[in-house]
Amino acid sequence: MATVVLAGTLDTKGVEYAYVRDRLSEHGVDVILIDAGVLGAPFAVPDITRDEVARAGGATLADLVDAGDRGTAIEAMTRGLGTIARRLHADGKLDALLGLGGSGGSSLIAAAMRELPIGVPKLLVSTVASGDIRPYVGTVDLTMMHSVVDIAGINQISERILTNAAAAASAMATAAAAFRSTAEARPMIGATMFGVTTPCLTTARERLEELGYEVLVFHATGSGGQSMERLMCDGYITGALDVTTTELADDLVGGVFSAGPDRLEAAGQLGIPQVVSLGALDMVNFGPSETVPAQFKDRLLYKHNSTITLMRTTPDECAELGKRLAWKLNQARGPVTLFIPLQGVSLIAVEGQVFHDPEADAALVGAIREHIADRVEMREVDTDINDPALAVAMADALHEHYIAWSKQAERTKG
């Protein structure tokens, strides 16, 4: 029988949790109810108490209550809930994790959900699900359902929402418990793509698939790069075709698609083979034109669509990007090749297009040449990034790295 773990703060949401627990039981799944509350008495009897959650988080409930510091208490209970969720999953006692919360409860529950592997169902009914949910979802397959009304009692609206949530969680748990993959087991490669590098990735993906790989393509929108690197760290992805490194530009300048300052470092730290290029480093991403920060209003802007405005990177920004990219690749513990297309790093950076800027391109390439280490193989190619021949060359280079890396890994095991 599938098991749904139902976790949250039973001091403020106990009535609602009891209601959802009953609905889950009606669907024929086992339920483990966890209380992560701290202050008031729980309104439902949990299977795993708040004392256990606090201890798993490295604290005692009494100390947290005596301290009276809500922030410290939430941090400890978040750690504890994550630890317990991982343990239950490892023991085969968690097929799905379901939670209900406002902003505080959602943060606590979502953090625990992000501790679970990708593929484990995670459903969060939340009052904040209609806003910016990136801080809650992060890099995992977390599903958020808008509660519409506050989670404050059972009424004609909340009972429909919570009933639907219970039905969804029980169905996902049942499917997860019975899941058996039918996909062929092939090495998984992570690849990054933007609309302006799609021709390159399409050709490279097809070539890698011919060579026996499964290619997971990530949209380089910040969360895309983070998700790819999360899958590397979790051991799923064992090779990188990081063609579209544009997230570095957003991190540098302040665009909306930053993947954080550590982007382009995971593959190198893990020592897995990687092929990297300069895809879409000619641009920084913002939302609709009216949302572009005032200090950039006089820059070269291009309306990509109704929701995305692109800004051309300057020579100074490109020089800094080249320096940063080189530094990151220099730290790599595994095989790495950098491909530099000299005639444009995106569809709109080639001659005759709106972002064509030889000075900025020269600054980017010049900084890379100055700072790249000798151990990093660098191939400069007199074409643009979407040339099919370049795409095939990158795929073949990654294949060569992967074969050598796999052989070395086998010798190390032996």
Side-chain angles (χ1 to χ4, degrees):
M1 184 179 292
T3 301
V4 174
V5 173
L6 184 58
T9 54
L10 302 189
D11 49 358
T12 59
K13 311 293 181 189
V15 172
E16 297 81 8
Y17 271 91
Y19 180 86
V20 172
R21 177 182 57 189
D22 292 344
R23 303 290 80 73
L24 288 167
S25 296
E26 290 172 357
H27 287 289
V29 297
D30 283 338
V31 182
I32 296 176
L33 180 60
I34 303 176
D35 181 17
V38 175
L39 299 178
F43 285 93
V45 179
D47 299 297
I48 297 176
T49 67
R50 59 183 60 182
D51 299 83
E52 295 174 83
V53 175
R55 288 197 298 272
T60 67
L61 185 64
D63 287 343
L64 294 177
V65 172
D66 290 343
D69 186 327
R70 185 173 183 272
T72 299
I74 289 177
E75 288 179 6
M77 300 305 275
T78 298
R79 289 194 303 270
L81 184 56
T83 298
I84 290 173
R86 291 196 307 272
R87 185 174 68 220
L88 289 171
H89 179 257
D91 292 342
K93 298 177 180 178
L94 187 158
D95 295 303
L97 179 56
L98 172 61
L100 327 169
S103 58
S106 294
S107 295
L108 187 156
I109 299 163
M113 290 178 169
R114 294 194 298 271
E115 295 285 319
L116 294 172
I118 289 174
V120 177
K122 314 159 186 71
L123 176 59
L124 177 55
V125 183
S126 174
T127 60
V128 299
S130 65
D132 178 10
I133 62 173
R134 182 176 178 182
Y136 301 93
V137 176
T139 61
V140 302
D141 53 338
L142 192 163
T143 302
M144 294 188 73
M145 177 184 290
H146 189 208
S147 64
V148 183
V149 295
D150 198 359
I151 302 171
I154 304 301
N155 53 60
Q156 294 180 63
I157 301 300
S158 66
E159 68 175 350
R160 293 296 302 271
I161 301 297
L162 298 180
T163 296
N164 289 344
S170 61
M172 288 192 288
T174 300
F179 178 76
R180 298 293 182 273
S181 177
T182 59
E184 179 185 355
R186 293 177 290 166
M188 284 195 284
I189 301 298
T192 49
M193 185 175 77
F194 238 26
V196 291
T197 60
T198 296
C200 173
L201 258 295
T202 300
T203 301
R205 175 180 56 80
E206 291 171 350
R207 175 58 177 162
L208 285 169
E209 289 172 348
E210 289 175 0
L211 293 168
Y213 299 92
E214 183 170 12
V215 182
L216 309 182
V217 179
F218 297 85
H219 198 193
T221 56
S223 58
Q226 290 174 334
S227 294
M228 179 180 73
E229 294 187 336
R230 165 70 183 264
L231 286 169
M232 292 176 186
C233 294
D234 287 348
Y236 292 101
I237 290 175
T238 51
L241 185 68
D242 213 340
V243 170
T244 310
T245 46
T246 185
E247 289 156 323
L248 300 181
D250 281 50
D251 182 61
L252 172 65
V253 182
V256 297
F257 287 161
S258 169
D262 298 330
R263 176 70 175 90
L264 194 61
E265 296 178 19
Q269 292 170 356
L270 294 167
I272 64 176
Q274 55 179 328
V275 167
V276 179
S277 192
L278 313 179
L281 285 179
D282 58 320
M283 61 187 63
V284 177
N285 296 266
F286 295 105
S289 57
E290 63 271 16
T291 69
V292 176
Q295 67 266 33
F296 299 132
K297 292 295 186 180
D298 294 332
R299 294 277 295 272
L300 176 55
L301 302 174
Y302 176 73
K303 183 178 179 180
H304 183 62
N305 55 45
S306 61
T307 59
I308 295 295
T309 303
L310 308 178
M311 181 177 75
R312 197 2 165 147
T313 44
T314 66
D316 286 345
E317 290 165 351
C318 285
E320 178 61 23
L321 287 169
K323 181 180 178 181
R324 292 188 180 190
L325 184 143
W327 183 89
K328 290 172 183 288
L329 298 187
N330 291 347
Q331 313 308 310
R333 296 171 49 237
V336 54
T337 297
L338 173 64
F339 279 81
I340 298 181
L342 298 174
Q343 298 301 321
V345 297
S346 81
L347 282 172
I348 62 173
V350 298
E351 186 173 3
Q353 293 297 316
V354 64
F355 277 3
H356 180 59
D357 188 340
E359 182 183 357
D361 290 347
L364 175 63
V365 175
I368 292 172
R369 290 170 180 158
E370 179 182 353
H371 295 285
I372 202 76
D374 291 339
R375 64 168 300 275
V376 178
E377 181 185 13
M378 189 170 70
R379 300 189 195 179
E380 297 186 19
V381 185
D382 192 25
T383 187
D384 70 274
I385 198 164
N386 288 300
D387 187 310
L390 175 59
V392 171
M394 287 192 285
D396 288 345
L398 182 57
H399 177 58
E400 292 171 6
H401 281 325
Y402 198 92
I403 295 300
W405 175 78
S406 299
K407 291 179 179 178
Q408 179 60 40
E410 287 298 321
R411 287 194 293 269
T412 301
K413 288 181 181 178

